């Protein structure tokens, strides 16, 4: 499940960091510090989000791997 979490993290992390950055820019914060804070928040939130999503995907398969064809 750790490998799945890392794969999901590589997609979820830039997405949430981008959402945080866009939210900060739309809110009128266009200097470096607020942007870095928004990006850091997106990064930190993506860690548990990746874990939760991986756990749900893993539980849908009951921990079984799909047969290779």
């Amino acid at each position: 499940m750790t490998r799945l979490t890392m794969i999901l993290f590589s997609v979820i992390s830039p997405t949430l960091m981008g959402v945080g950055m866009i939210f900060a820019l739309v809110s009128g914060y266009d200097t470096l510090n607020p942007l870095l804070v928004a990006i850091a928040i997106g990064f930190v939130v993506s860690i548990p989000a990746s874990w939760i999503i991986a756990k749900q995907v893993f539980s849908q398969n009951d921990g079984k791997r799909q047969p290779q064809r």
Side-chain angles (χ1 to χ4, degrees), residues 22-66:
I22 290 171
F23 180 75
L25 289 171
V26 168
S27 299
Y29 298 106
D30 58 351
T31 58
L32 180 63
N33 286 337
L35 289 177
L36 290 178
V37 168
I39 291 169
I41 290 171
F43 180 80
V44 170
V45 168
S46 66
I47 295 169
S50 300
W51 181 262
I52 291 168
I53 293 170
K55 190 165 42 168
Q56 289 182 354
V57 168
F58 198 76
S59 69
Q60 291 291 327
N61 289 334
D62 295 325
K64 299 175 187 173
R65 291 187 175 200
Q66 298 295 327

